[in-house]
Amino acid sequence: MILESIITTISADGEVNIAPLGPIVLPGNSEGELPSFCLRPYEGSRTCANLLSVGKAVINVTDDVLLLAKSAIGHVSPDGLVCAAEGASKQHMRLKDCHRWFAVDVIEYSGTPPRHEMLAKCISEGIVGPFFGFNRAKHAVIEAAILATRIGLIDSEEVLRSISELRIPVEKTSGPDEAMAFELVVQYIQDKLTATTTS
C-alpha cells in the first residue's frame, strides 16, 4: 500500500525540507509492531539528498491538501514544525498540525537512480488530531500535485490532459482550500511547461 503523505527531512546543515512523498507501507511481522516503509525519492530532490546524507525523516499523514499542494510546488515554510517525540533525534521534526506521524530511520539503501529505494524503520509514531476525511476534490488535488512533481518525466500533453480531467471533480466537490490548492498546482504546471518549451 502506498501512503500519500508529507515527509519532513533535515539536511546535514540543519535545513528543513517539506515535500510530498508516497512511501510503501510494510506492515509489522507481529501484532502491535511498528510498520516499516520503503521510501522511493527521485535523484536530485532535496528529500533524496537529505535521506542519503542524514537518513532520518518523519512521515506526516494529513488531509490538508492545500498544504500538500504547496509542498509539491515548494511553497511551504518550515515554521510550525515540532520535535516528533521525546527522545527522538532533532532530525525527526514533524508537522505540528497533522493527523498522524511516523518518525523513521533509513536502515538500507538500494534501487537504481534516478529512483532510489530506502528501507526505513519506524522508531516512534503518534496521533495528533482527528482525520476529517477526503472527497473527490481532495483526491484530485493529490493527483495534480503528483503530476507537478513529474514534469519532465511525463509527456506534457498527457499532463495537460490529466489536469483537464481532474478539474471536473474539483469544480463539483471542492471547498475553498481545495479550489485554491488545485489552481496553485495548475499554475505551477503551466509555468513549468512554458519554461520547458521556451528554453
Side-chain angles (χ1 to χ4, degrees):
M1 181 185 76
I2 293 177
L3 177 65
E4 299 300 344
S5 63
I6 294 175
I7 190 167
T8 49
T9 58
I10 299 179
S11 71
D13 296 329
E15 184 178 354
V16 177
N17 186 57
I18 303 170
L21 190 73
I24 297 174
V25 181
L26 306 172
N29 295 324
S30 59
E31 187 175 347
E33 183 179 352
L34 294 176
S36 295
F37 299 89
C38 178
L39 311 178
R40 301 181 299 160
Y42 278 99
E43 180 84 14
S45 69
R46 282 180 288 174
T47 295
C48 187
N50 291 350
L51 289 171
L52 288 172
S53 63
V54 177
K56 298 179 185 297
V58 176
I59 298 165
N60 302 270
V61 182
T62 178
D63 58 1
D64 184 349
V65 294
L66 180 55
L67 178 61
L68 191 144
K70 288 179 177 179
S71 70
I73 60 179
H75 290 177
V76 178
S77 165
D79 296 337
L81 295 180
V82 296
C83 188
E86 185 178 347
S89 162
K90 289 184 178 179
Q91 281 108 357
H92 290 114
M93 301 296 290
R94 68 166 176 83
L95 297 175
K96 183 177 181 180
D97 296 319
C98 65
H99 166 59
R100 189 174 183 180
W101 57 267
F102 303 91
V104 300
D105 287 347
V106 176
I107 59 173
E108 184 178 316
Y109 294 90
S110 61
T112 303
R115 192 159 202 172
H116 293 258
E117 292 188 357
M118 306 174 183
L119 178 61
K121 178 182 179 181
C122 183
I123 61 166
S124 186
E125 68 172 344
I127 295 176
V128 179
F131 190 75
F132 186 79
F134 284 111
N135 65 1
R136 291 173 62 205
K138 288 181 182 285
H139 285 291
V141 171
I142 291 172
E143 292 298 327
I146 293 170
L147 286 171
T149 66
R150 302 293 190 268
I151 300 297
L153 301 173
I154 300 176
D155 181 73
S156 59
E157 290 186 5
E158 182 181 343
V159 171
L160 293 173
R161 182 170 56 251
S162 297
I163 287 295
S164 179
E165 293 171 354
L166 291 169
R167 185 176 292 280
I168 296 170
V170 171
E171 291 179 346
K172 287 183 176 181
T173 67
S174 71
D177 282 356
E178 292 77 25
M180 181 186 300
F182 188 75
E183 293 307 324
L184 283 174
V185 173
V186 168
Q187 186 62 56
Y188 174 85
I189 288 173
Q190 290 174 342
D191 291 346
K192 292 284 282 187
L193 292 179
T194 299
T196 300
T197 57
T198 57
S199 60

